């Protein structure tokens, strides 16, 4: 059974990093700079809009959140949809859900090659900063920051050993 | 492949109803009255505290939200933990996560007997009413209301055919 510490290791984190870089380059011609991972202390949403997805796995189960500051998501979605967005409209919120799907989907494929098999739920999107959002699981939440030329987004990943995992 | 309309039918909804009644009776000696299901129109949280869980299935995939008004959840948690709660404390929020786990877990077992097999993600809890919470999926959100002697809670279920489902 993977320990919680194992989930902080590069093997488990790298698929989320490389999938993020790949999706953003392909979909929005944005090449973020990856920052240093840290543990989340607060129980609130980090950015102004967040995509949340449940990942149910054979070894570990948890949730992944993508959370964007406003300049960052407006740059990404304006590039993706080739139209200038200046507010967090419904189209921008939906794009956050699509990005959440694509980035976690890419990570899922890479994690599968490492023996972590996941079934994915459907993304939900939460609009608003500092919304109180907490996890029932006591597993640590690892935060990966990414800086674009316009702003920052973070990926928050929290996984605990799945029930019945070996 | 199940159509969206099929997901509104009693076969799919009843497991959530019977699991809710069972869990609340067992855990909190509360027997809610079940109201008539309706389709959600808003894109906001219904109650003051909500539990969210992703359910990834062989035929359909989606999210389930339990959302409580304040008197309702304070009654339930006070009964569950045999201690009087008067505010939405961290213990109350965690109890919402536990209830989300138990109620959807019971529904999962019953749905499995109908051929709908699910892997469950981990619950997250959102505190706050009218928080903008939207689904990427265009599937309808079915709302099941439950009235207790103190107040009301709702279960919101949204499922779309899973990718690759037959």
């Amino acid at each position: 059974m993977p320990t919680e510490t194992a989930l902080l290791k590069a093997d488990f984190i790298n698929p989320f990093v490389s999938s993020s870089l790949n999706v953003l380059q392909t979909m929005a011609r944005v090449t973020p700079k990856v920052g240093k991972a840290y543990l989340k202390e607060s129980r609130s949403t980090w950015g102004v809009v967040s995509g949340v997805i449940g990942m149910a796995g054979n070894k570990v189960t948890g949730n992944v959140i993508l959370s964007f500051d406003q300049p960052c998501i407006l740059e990404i979605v304006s590039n993706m949809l080739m139209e200038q967005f200046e507010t967090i409209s419904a189209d921008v919120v939906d794009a956050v859900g699509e990005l959440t799907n694509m980035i976690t989907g890419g990570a899922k494929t890479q994690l599968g090659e490492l023996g972590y098999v996941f079934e994915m739920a459907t993304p939900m999107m939460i609009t608003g900063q500092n919304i109180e959002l907490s996890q029932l699981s006591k597993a640590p939440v690892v935060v990966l920051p990414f800086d674009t030329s316009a702003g920052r987004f973070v990926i928050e990943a929290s996984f605990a050993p799945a029930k019945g995992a070996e």
Side-chain angles (χ1 to χ4, degrees), chain A:
Chain A
M1 185 184 288
T3 62
E4 290 187 351
T5 324
L7 302 179
L8 304 180
K9 284 194 183 155
D11 273 4
F12 196 79
I13 294 299
N14 283 346
F16 291 96
V17 174
S18 67
S19 180
S20 300
L21 298 179
N22 181 38
V23 167
L24 288 172
Q25 180 60 45
T26 309
M27 301 300 295
R29 299 175 312 284
V30 166
T31 308
K33 192 169 160 238
V34 187
K36 195 167 178 300
Y38 60 92
L39 292 181
K40 185 170 187 174
E41 307 273 342
S42 87
R43 288 165 58 117
S44 306
T45 56
W46 180 85
V48 296
V49 57
S50 306
V52 181
I53 192 164
M55 294 180 65
N58 63 336
K59 294 183 179 172
V60 295
T61 283
N63 292 293
V64 172
I65 304 173
L66 268 75
S67 193
F68 299 84
D69 73 18
Q70 181 152 331
C72 178
I73 194 60
L74 292 181
E75 176 196 35
I76 290 170
V77 179
S78 297
N79 282 11
M80 270 174 78
L81 304 183
M82 287 182 280
E83 180 189 337
Q84 199 60 37
F85 286 90
E86 295 185 352
T87 58
I88 306 298
S89 64
D91 283 344
V92 172
V93 172
D94 279 352
V96 167
E98 297 284 6
L99 288 166
T100 304
N101 235 353
M102 287 186 281
I103 289 173
T104 56
K108 172 194 157 168
T109 302
Q110 294 178 49
L111 288 165
E113 291 163 6
L114 302 175
Y116 291 93
V117 179
F118 288 98
E119 300 294 329
M120 311 287 289
T122 319
M124 300 192 73
M125 296 79 78
I126 301 172
T127 311
Q129 197 158 23
N130 295 322
I131 303 294
E132 196 180 320
L133 178 68
S134 43
Q135 314 241 4
L136 181 60
S137 163
K138 298 302 171 216
V141 181
V142 181
V143 186
L144 297 167
F146 296 81
D147 289 307
T148 70
S149 58
R152 173 172 279 204
F153 72 96
V154 299
I155 296 182
E156 300 178 353
S158 179
F159 287 94
K163 269 186 205 161
E166 288 163 27

